[in-house]
Amino acid sequence: MGKRNNTPQKKRMSKAAFRENCYGLAFVAPPFIGFLVFMAFPIVFAFVASLTTWNGMNNMLEHFVGFNNYIKLFTDAKFWKVLGHTVTYMIGIPIGMFLGVFIAMGMNRKIKGIRILRTMYYVPVISSLVAVAILWAFVFNYDNGLFNVIIKAITGQKGPNWLGNPFWVKVSMIIFMTWKGLGTSIILYLSGLQSIPRDYYEAAKIDGASGWTLFKNITWPLVSPVTFYLLITGMIGGFQVFVEVLVMLPKGGLNYSAATVVFYLYDKFAANKYGYASAMAFLLAIFIFIITFINFKGQDKWVKTID
């Protein structure tokens, strides 16, 4: 007797199943191809460019320098200077969070016209960044700006040179960025506040908890997921600040005192130093990844959820 073949036979796909798979692939293919063309290829291309002294005209592969651009960045005083400015601007992130949560608490009430007020606070978020940056440049104007007009009316003396002084220009940018993102913080915190069960507050009030105790032990911990989201998105966006500086201070401010990493990167691209600029972009991406990773690893220690 011959040996019986126990190898399982591969089940043949029916025509209907094959057609269904083809339809599925057809729907998946466009976004996948889009990712390859508009994301994966540019990333790989930029990384290769970062290993060269390519200027857009010469042959990239003939000007291969390895990691020299990255080594040069670590000794580039101007790069560390603009990185310091970028981190300084992030002071506005916690300021925006605290303002956002307190304004949201005020809006979390049944007040006449509250919807109009919420809309007004959100208008800066949906407004053109270029348009509002031009508007704020007028507000910060040294001679006739709104801030200095108010300061002179109150004190009788002229206000600071907001955009012409290395210190005050940073204060100006922090004020502007905080104002621009405040609407998002308010809306998200308002959503978080409305998801907290009222029973928590009622039980705490029965035990004699004060307003500050309610905020410290109930409100703030239970809106921590919103805080975490704003922290992550705020830091990622903070490292990418560019338009605000370009519009308000096209040359990066006095002695480059307002320039950010992306603004410096833009200057290098404008100078046809594509290889060096690409290396800067990858180093910036690494910074963002590390900070985001650290935040995600530490979220379990302070981010609370409603059970």
Side-chain angles (χ1 to χ4, degrees):
M1 291 181 68
K3 266 190 174 182
R4 178 186 265 179
N5 187 2
N6 292 323
T7 305
Q9 295 293 322
K10 191 174 180 180
K11 193 173 181 181
R12 191 174 178 181
M13 185 182 293
S14 66
K15 288 184 178 181
F18 177 75
R19 193 183 304 113
E20 187 176 341
N21 285 350
C22 289
Y23 287 148
L25 290 172
F27 279 108
V28 171
F32 180 70
I33 294 171
F35 170 78
L36 291 177
V37 174
F38 298 109
M39 291 289 290
F41 174 73
I43 289 172
V44 173
F45 184 86
F47 178 70
V48 174
S50 73
L51 305 176
T52 69
T53 54
W54 184 49
N55 63 8
M57 300 296 290
N58 58 15
N59 189 317
M60 183 191 297
L61 298 179
E62 289 179 0
H63 292 77
F64 184 81
V65 294
F67 289 96
N68 284 1
N69 285 331
Y70 293 92
I71 296 170
K72 187 179 177 182
L73 267 173
F74 280 101
T75 57
D76 186 347
K78 206 169 188 179
F79 171 74
W80 293 107
K81 179 180 180 178
V82 297
L83 181 62
H85 299 164
T86 305
V87 173
T88 301
Y89 293 152
M90 292 187 192
I91 294 173
I93 297 174
I95 295 173
M97 286 180 184
F98 283 108
L99 287 175
V101 72
F102 283 113
I103 295 173
M105 289 172 65
M107 289 187 176
N108 192 27
R109 302 167 183 272
K110 292 182 180 180
I111 305 173
K112 190 175 181 180
I114 192 66
R115 292 184 180 179
I116 297 174
L117 191 61
R118 291 172 185 172
T119 304
M120 289 173 61
Y121 270 100
Y122 198 71
V123 166
V125 179
I126 59 175
S127 300
S128 166
L129 182 55
V130 174
V132 295
I134 293 172
L135 176 65
W136 275 89
F138 283 112
V139 171
F140 288 125
N141 185 273
Y142 178 61
D143 295 314
N144 303 306
L146 178 63
F147 280 0
N148 280 359
V149 168
I150 294 172
I151 291 171
K152 190 172 183 179
I154 296 173
T155 65
Q157 297 183 6
K158 213 166 190 179
N161 189 356
W162 294 96
L163 300 179
N165 179 282
F167 171 77
W168 287 107
V169 72
K170 294 178 180 63
V171 175
S172 304
M173 298 302 292
I174 291 170
I175 292 172
F176 171 50
M177 293 176 195
T178 302
W179 172 86
K180 184 71 174 68
L182 189 59
T184 300
S185 299
I186 292 170
I187 292 298
L188 292 176
Y189 274 125
L190 184 61
S191 176
L193 289 169
Q194 291 179 349
S195 68
I196 300 175
R198 302 304 305 173
D199 297 348
Y200 292 7
Y201 292 105
E202 292 171 2
K205 286 177 181 177
I206 291 173
D207 291 337
S210 63
W212 169 247
T213 304
L214 293 174
F215 175 78
K216 184 178 70 172
N217 296 323
I218 298 177
T219 304
W220 186 244
L222 293 183
V223 296
S224 57
V226 176
T227 304
F228 176 71
Y229 172 79
L230 290 172
L231 179 64
I232 292 292
T233 55
M235 294 189 76
I236 292 173
F239 274 111
Q240 298 173 342
V241 169
F242 169 66
V243 176
E244 298 91 327
V245 179
L246 182 65
V247 174
M248 299 174 71
L249 300 145
K251 294 183 180 179
L254 182 66
N255 297 324
Y256 229 53
S257 57
T260 60
V261 175
V262 179
F263 187 88
Y264 186 40
L265 189 155
Y266 165 79
D267 271 357
K268 290 300 179 183
F269 267 114
N272 294 331
K273 296 182 179 180
Y274 297 159
Y276 193 70
S278 297
M280 197 185 307
F282 265 90
L283 193 60
L284 179 62
I286 291 170
F287 283 155
I288 293 173
F289 175 81
I290 291 172
I291 290 173
T292 305
F293 178 78
I294 291 171
N295 280 319
F296 271 99
K297 288 293 288 183
Q299 67 171 319
D300 292 338
K301 296 179 180 179
W302 64 277
V303 177
K304 310 296 180 183
T305 56
I306 300 173
D307 298 327

